[in-house]
């Protein structure tokens, strides 16, 4: 059974995670790594949340932290807008200029 209106996407990875607020917890461990808060679409009680204002993601991309704890019993949905791929990184200080 498809959860899309219209034709289901042929390509892409859209992971969905859900949780329930308890009125005190502000941090959620993510099921996948997110490069940045803007890579996530977060709904709390059916209302979309603004990235970097209502929530942030740690530098490791593994923990989402709300600026305010979602109320007890409220549904939280997190949709990953793609998947972070890992690969070699080039650090700025490792690049030497050639003259």
């Amino acid at each position: 059974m498809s959860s899309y209106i219209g034709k289901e996407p042929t390509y892409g990875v859209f992971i969905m995670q859900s949780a329930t607020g308890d009125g005190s917890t502000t941090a959620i461990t993510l099921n996948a790594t997110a490069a940045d808060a803007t890579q996530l679409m977060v709904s709390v009680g059916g209302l979309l949340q603004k990235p970097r204002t209502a929530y942030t993601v740690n530098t490791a991309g593994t923990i989402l932290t709300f600026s305010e704890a979602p109320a007890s019993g409220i549904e939280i949905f997190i949709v990953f807008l793609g998947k972070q791929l890992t690969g070699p990184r080039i650090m700025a200080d490792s690049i030497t200029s050639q003259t």
Side-chain angles (χ1 to χ4, degrees):
M1 180 174 183
S2 178
S3 61
Y4 296 93
I5 296 173
K7 187 176 178 183
E8 184 172 348
T10 308
Y11 303 101
V13 177
F14 298 99
I15 301 167
M16 188 170 106
Q17 180 176 344
S18 61
T20 303
D22 65 6
S24 63
T25 302
T26 57
I28 295 176
T29 300
L30 297 172
N31 291 342
T33 304
D36 184 76
T38 59
Q39 186 182 3
L40 304 172
M41 184 167 44
V42 178
S43 168
V44 177
L47 299 173
L48 289 178
Q49 304 298 301
K50 185 175 181 179
R52 298 185 187 139
T53 301
Y55 65 92
T56 57
V57 174
N58 68 341
T59 55
T62 56
I63 298 175
L64 179 145
T65 303
F66 288 105
S67 57
E68 186 176 315
S72 182
I74 206 103
E75 267 188 306
I76 302 164
F77 288 99
I78 303 165
V79 178
F80 294 78
L81 303 173
K83 184 176 180 190
Q84 180 179 354
L85 301 175
T86 57
R89 290 186 176 193
I90 298 173
M91 304 304 285
D93 58 351
S94 68
I95 300 173
T96 57
S97 62
Q98 296 182 8
T99 54

